[in-house]
């Protein structure tokens, strides 16, 4: 009696060959990039000693320095909050343009996509540098940079949520004689409200972390104190700032997770 000697394999020969070729290409790209940038560790055995030396200089943290960073810390939270609120207001029309079922025509659709792409393509630090030149040093530049960076994030995800709504409700509101604003308020926003709240809180959590380093380019916040402490080689003060930043990030992360769980 003949036996079936076929063996199950997850991928056929063609897919295995393709995966092998992609692995080789990726390895060549990594090695080539490493050599092109001339990256090298001359004496890796010195790394633990250098890290230990830095930690010794940071200990104990300068507790007295805490009083000098309370103001910048509050400013950091305000930058993140104002930037998030501004982005939320501006992202709603962008999302309506970027959603296929609410955009007026193809031109406005691609305009919405362009705004989303530009906002998400430019890092927060680059936006901050631009607005520091425009508005001068200070928290205003930081808040506007946070807002411009967040518009793409909120606009993209909110636009995807709008595309998933039940358009029958929108048509029902419109058939009752509602204006365009009323259609938005009573036909669209109620369906995306949970997502809108959840995304806004999540983005605020991200913006808190981004705001902590904006001071390095003069955009206000606790990053200014961190930058000064690093330049002065005041490592105990640096440790204090880093611990405070860590505490704020952990607290906002917990608050964000709790609030988003309530919205679901």
């Amino acid at each position: 009696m003949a036996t079936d000697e076929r063996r199950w394999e997850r991928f056929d020969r063609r897919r295995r060959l393709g995966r092998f070729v992609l692995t080789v290409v990726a390895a060549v790209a990594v090695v080539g990039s490493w050599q092109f940038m001339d990256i090298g560790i001359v004496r890796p055995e010195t790394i633990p000693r250098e890290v230990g030396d830095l930690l010794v200089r940071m200990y104990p943290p300068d507790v007295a320095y805490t009083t000098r960073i309370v103001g910048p810390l509050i400013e950091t939270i305000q930058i993140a909050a104002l930037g998030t609120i501004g982005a939320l207001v501006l992202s709603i029309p962008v999302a309506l343009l970027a959603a296929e079922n609410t955009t007026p025509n193809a031109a406005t659709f691609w305009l919405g996509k362009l705004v989303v792409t530009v906002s998400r393509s430019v890092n927060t630090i680059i936006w901050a540098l631009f607005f520091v030149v425009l508005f001068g040093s200070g928290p205003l530049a930081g808040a506007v940079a946070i807002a411009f960076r967040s518009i793409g994030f909120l606009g993209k995800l909110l636009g995807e949520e709008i595309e998933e709504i039940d358009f029958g409700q929108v048509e029902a509101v419109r058939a009752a004689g509602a204006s365009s604003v009323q259609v938005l308020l009573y036909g669209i926003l109620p369906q995306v409200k949970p997502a809108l709240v959840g995304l806004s809180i999540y983005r605020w959590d991200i913006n808190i972390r981004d705001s902590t380093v904006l001071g390095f380019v003069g955009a206000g916040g606790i990053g200014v104190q961190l930058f000064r402490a690093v330049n002065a080689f005041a490592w105990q003060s640096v440790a204090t700032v880093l611990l405070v930043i860590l505490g704020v990030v952990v607290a906002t992360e917990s608050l964000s997770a709790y609030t988003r769980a309530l919205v679901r």
Side-chain angles (χ1 to χ4, degrees):
M1 183 176 62
T3 58
D4 189 356
E5 297 181 354
R6 288 181 299 176
R7 184 177 57 183
W8 178 86
E9 295 179 349
R10 183 178 181 184
F11 302 111
D12 57 22
R13 181 177 299 177
R14 182 178 178 182
R15 294 187 65 182
R16 289 200 302 271
L17 179 61
R19 291 167 66 88
F20 174 75
V21 171
L22 288 176
T23 302
V24 172
V25 170
V28 171
V30 171
V31 173
S33 300
W34 186 281
Q35 293 181 345
F36 178 79
M37 293 186 293
D38 195 24
I39 298 175
I41 301 176
V42 180
R43 299 183 62 186
E45 69 277 3
T46 64
I47 294 178
R49 185 177 70 246
E50 296 297 333
V51 172
D53 179 64
L54 182 60
L55 293 177
V56 168
R57 295 185 184 188
M58 286 184 168
Y59 183 83
D62 186 3
V63 179
Y65 192 71
T66 307
T67 56
R68 299 177 58 182
I69 61 178
V70 172
L73 177 62
I74 295 174
E75 185 177 82
T76 297
I77 297 174
Q78 291 173 336
I79 289 173
L82 289 176
T84 305
I85 293 172
L88 177 61
V89 173
L90 295 175
S91 65
I92 293 177
V94 172
L96 292 171
L97 293 178
E100 293 183 353
N101 55 347
T102 56
T103 192
N105 51 59
T108 56
F109 173 76
W110 287 111
L111 175 62
K113 292 295 185 182
L114 177 63
V115 173
V116 167
T117 301
V118 171
S119 172
R120 297 174 67 240
S121 299
V122 181
N123 189 271
T124 309
I125 292 293
I126 306 302
W127 281 120
L129 284 170
F130 175 77
F131 289 114
V132 163
V133 174
L134 194 63
F135 299 124
S137 300
L140 175 60
V144 177
I146 288 292
F148 268 70
R149 172 63 173 173
S150 303
I151 289 173
F153 176 90
L154 293 174
K156 180 180 185 299
L157 297 181
L158 186 58
E160 293 175 353
E161 291 290 334
I162 293 176
E163 291 178 342
E164 299 297 326
I165 65 174
D166 179 10
F167 215 72
Q169 298 183 32
V170 179
E171 294 295 341
V173 174
R174 184 176 288 128
S179 64
S180 299
V181 176
Q182 290 173 327
V183 169
L184 172 64
L185 294 177
Y186 302 110
I188 297 176
L189 287 183
Q191 297 190 63
V192 298
K193 182 179 178 181
L196 181 62
V197 175
L199 289 172
S200 301
I201 296 172
Y202 180 55
R203 187 64 213 186
W204 173 73
D205 178 35
I206 296 174
N207 289 340
I208 286 287
R209 282 171 272 180
D210 286 349
S211 300
T212 58
V213 295
L214 292 182
F216 276 78
V217 295
I222 198 172
V224 175
Q225 299 297 325
L226 179 60
F227 182 70
R228 291 174 178 172
V230 170
N231 279 348
F233 300 102
W235 299 115
Q236 293 178 328
S237 299
V238 171
T240 302
V241 176
L242 292 178
L243 288 174
V244 169
I245 291 175
L246 177 61
V248 171
V249 169
V250 171
T252 55
E253 173 69 25
S254 302
L255 178 61
S256 172
Y258 175 74
T259 309
R260 282 185 281 122
L262 292 178
V263 174
R264 294 193 187 119

